[in-house]
Amino acid sequence: MSNVLDAIPTEPRAVIVEELMRFDPALLAELRATQAPTNKQRESVESVLARVLVKSFGPDWEPSARGLAVERAISAFFEAWPMDE
């Protein structure tokens, strides 16, 4: 059985896994145990990654290299799993 994270390309998946391990390991376990995320899980992933992204901004409001990787991870997640209407 594949899981939610298997639908995401390798590099952005690694970023998502790393950040969820740090900030929401329970959500990571949920995503690894299901084939499609709920809207609540999608929102939770977005929330975690958005907080990481905001913290990556420098004094000129440009994201760091890590922030750019997080931006790509957010895009990849929602390309694979768009929000349900």
Side-chain angles (χ1 to χ4, degrees), residues 26-78:
L27 175 59
L28 178 58
E30 290 175 19
L31 297 176
R32 286 179 166 161
T34 191
Q35 292 181 315
T38 64
N39 276 345
K40 184 175 188 236
Q41 289 168 328
R42 288 177 179 98
E43 291 168 1
S44 295
V45 169
E46 181 180 34
S47 177
V48 167
L49 296 178
R51 284 191 309 258
V52 172
L53 179 60
V54 168
K55 290 180 181 180
S56 78
F57 291 147
D60 56 358
W61 288 98
E62 290 293 321
S64 65
R66 181 61 177 182
L68 294 173
V70 171
E71 281 184 347
R72 289 189 295 272
I74 293 168
S75 293
F77 185 86
F78 284 104

